[in-house]
Amino acid sequence: MVILIAELYVTPSKKKILKYEHFDSLLIHDHALDVMSTPPITLTKEATMREAKALMRDHRISGVPIVDDKEALVGLVTLENIIIALENNFIDDPIEKHMVRDVVYLKDDMDVSTVLEYLMTYNFGRYPVIDKNNKVVGVITYGDLALHILERLGNVYLHEKKREEILMPGKSLLSHDSYGNGDFYSYIIDSSDLDLAGQGSTSFKKFLQEHEFPPEDTRRASISLYEAEVNVVLHAYGKGEIRAYLKGGQVFMLVTDNGPGIDDIELAMQPGWTTASDEVRERGFGAGMGLDNIKKYSDKLIILSSNAGVKMEIVIVSEDKNKGVPT
Ligand SMILES: Nc1ncnc2c1ncn2[C@@H]1O[C@H](COP(=O)(O)OP(=O)(O)OP(=O)(O)O)[C@@H](O)[C@H]1O
Ligand SMILES: [Mg+2]
């Protein structure tokens, strides 16, 4: 009999969960499906324990899910079962006779925090993952989960590193004209080239420095603007506009685009939520951190979205009210 995980009551170890709490927001949108290794390496119950041993050796794995002719989970053979079979001389028996039947398995639509709870509750090496038709579609080990978490953290790291590089003084990518007149600044975003994303915010950073806007506030403003600008390049076909002005120690930045708009702003604001492709992520974008960063660094944020585009107003209020007067 295979135990239905969904019906089990799981008490997670509070202490351990607390340790993982800060990963939660990053992993909140991921499911077992995103973590598991595929395709699963499986055998049917008619195969022998010797065949299981050979398969485990060839693939360097320590357990094999056993499936029926519909690829549904019926058991599991582990290295321990193999050792016992060798010691007791029944290595040529069919798997059916010796497999583990009470297999703890995961469902492909379980969220990652539930997966983590299972891994911490049962100390098994691997967990078959099944889909809604009970078909085994993958396997999750601690290693798979660790890799997934590292990948997510890696994305966030790349995102931050990339932004720092682009906003670094003397490393400007500038080729487009920007327009800065008195306390007013404007820039047309017109490129979907990710390698060039951030030109507007780089030149705006310079503009603020020239106006002797306080360094920490300049940093907050340029980071927020960078995130909004990259979003236009990444999600709005690269067409948009930055208009900003300085007044009484405040920076007002308006970023508008003609893209498809944001479907669900509340969801998009959540850290880790992204519609970016894996390819984009590998290039240091699409960690799902942009809007969250804008919220974090700005003093006021208004987002208006429709299917004609996004209008975003970001305000930075400096402690120093005398700054930001026209030069
Ligand atoms: N200007 C925009 N037009 C359309 N969709 C947008 C726009 N800005 C954001 N979005 C949507 O909101 C999601 C979250 O945006 P956010 O900036 O937080 O993350 P990201 O751009 O996907 O990744 P990152 O900013 O970490 O590189 C995006 O994946 C996209 O679906
Ligand atoms: Mg973004």
Side-chain angles (χ1 to χ4, degrees), residues 159 227 230-231 234-235 290-291:
H159 176 111
E227 298 292 5
V230 171
N231 278 356
L234 199 59
H235 309 294
L291 294 175

Side-chain angles (χ1 to χ4, degrees), residues 201 204 208 213 216-226 251 253 297 314 316:
S201 33
F204 185 61
L208 289 179
F213 202 60
E216 184 46 34
D217 300 317
T218 297
R219 182 170 168 270
R220 292 194 294 129
S222 50
I223 289 178
S224 307
L225 189 62
Y226 169 86
V251 182
M253 299 176 282
Y297 287 111
I314 306 166
I316 305 285

Side-chain angles (χ1 to χ4, degrees), residues 230-241:
V230 171
N231 278 356
V232 174
V233 175
L234 199 59
H235 309 294
Y237 321 126
K239 301 254 185 243
E241 194 183 359

